[in-house]
């Protein structure tokens, strides 16, 4: 199932924040993405309704297995694409920005080839 780019970004952000701090709140997501708290609240309601996250009593947000799978896949694409771009001489800042856009539209065939290329050149 293909989900919207914005939802992939939210899930990836939750995944990265959880790895860094062990917990995630709406305010953490708002701060990380520079979005308003109401925007984050609306997105979290949608992600919860679609089964990608669970919200605990204290306001902590956790990825479900379904959400974690999407987040990890998006994060992996981001890492591989940015790494390859830097390998080609693109600055780190530009590579990270470009990878954030490309990670949502790249085909599985192209991504698999990029991963193989990266594995062979490391």
């Amino acid at each position: 199932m293909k989900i919207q780019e914005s939802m992939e970004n939210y899930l990836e952000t939750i995944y990265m924040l959880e790895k860094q701090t062990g917990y995630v709140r709406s305010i953490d997501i708002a701060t990380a993405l520079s979005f308003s708290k109401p925007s984050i609240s609306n997105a979290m309601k949608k992600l919860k309704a679609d089964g990608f996250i669970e919200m605990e009593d204290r306001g902590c947000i956790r990825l479900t297995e379904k959400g974690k799978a999407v987040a990890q896949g998006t994060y992996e694409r981001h890492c591989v694409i940015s790494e390859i771009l830097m390998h080609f001489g693109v600055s780190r800042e530009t590579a990270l920005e470009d990878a954030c856009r490309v990670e949502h539209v790249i085909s599985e065939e192209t991504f698999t080839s990029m991963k193989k290329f990266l594995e062979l050149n490391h």
Side-chain angles (χ1 to χ4, degrees), residues 55-66:
M55 299 180 85
E56 298 177 355
D57 293 338
R58 298 183 327 253
C60 287
I61 297 166
R62 298 259 181 237
L63 294 169
T64 62
E65 287 302 314
K66 178 181 173 181

Side-chain angles (χ1 to χ4, degrees), residues 8-78:
E8 284 182 339
N9 280 334
Y10 286 123
L11 293 171
E12 182 183 21
T13 300
I14 294 166
Y15 177 73
M16 291 187 307
L17 289 170
E18 191 172 310
K19 281 177 60 169
Q20 292 169 3
T21 64
Y23 65 93
V24 181
R25 300 164 300 156
S26 291
I27 191 67
D28 303 320
I29 301 165
T31 301
L33 295 175
S34 299
F35 291 166
S36 70
K37 192 145 189 303
S39 294
I40 299 301
S41 181
N42 288 335
M44 295 306 107
K45 285 177 190 170
K46 173 129 178 65
L47 288 172
K48 182 179 179 189
D50 291 344
F52 291 106
I53 65 167
E54 296 172 342
M55 299 180 85
E56 298 177 355
D57 293 338
R58 298 183 327 253
C60 287
I61 297 166
R62 298 259 181 237
L63 294 169
T64 62
E65 287 302 314
K66 178 181 173 181
K68 191 176 234 178
V70 172
Q72 287 175 326
T74 304
Y75 182 70
E76 180 186 31
R77 289 191 306 271
H78 182 93

Side-chain angles (χ1 to χ4, degrees), residues 64-121:
T64 62
E65 287 302 314
K66 178 181 173 181
K68 191 176 234 178
V70 172
Q72 287 175 326
T74 304
Y75 182 70
E76 180 186 31
R77 289 191 306 271
H78 182 93
C79 292
V80 168
I81 293 164
S82 59
E83 182 91 13
I84 285 178
L85 292 173
M86 287 185 286
H87 181 80
F88 291 155
V90 176
S91 71
R92 178 174 173 75
E93 183 179 337
T94 300
L96 292 173
E97 287 176 16
D98 288 349
C100 199
R101 288 189 297 275
V102 173
E103 68 193 22
H104 305 287
V105 296
I106 192 167
S107 71
E108 191 59 39
E109 178 184 358
T110 300
F111 178 66
T112 300
S113 294
M114 290 175 92
K115 274 178 55 174
K116 286 179 186 173
F117 172 85
L118 198 56
E119 290 166 3
L120 292 172
N121 289 283

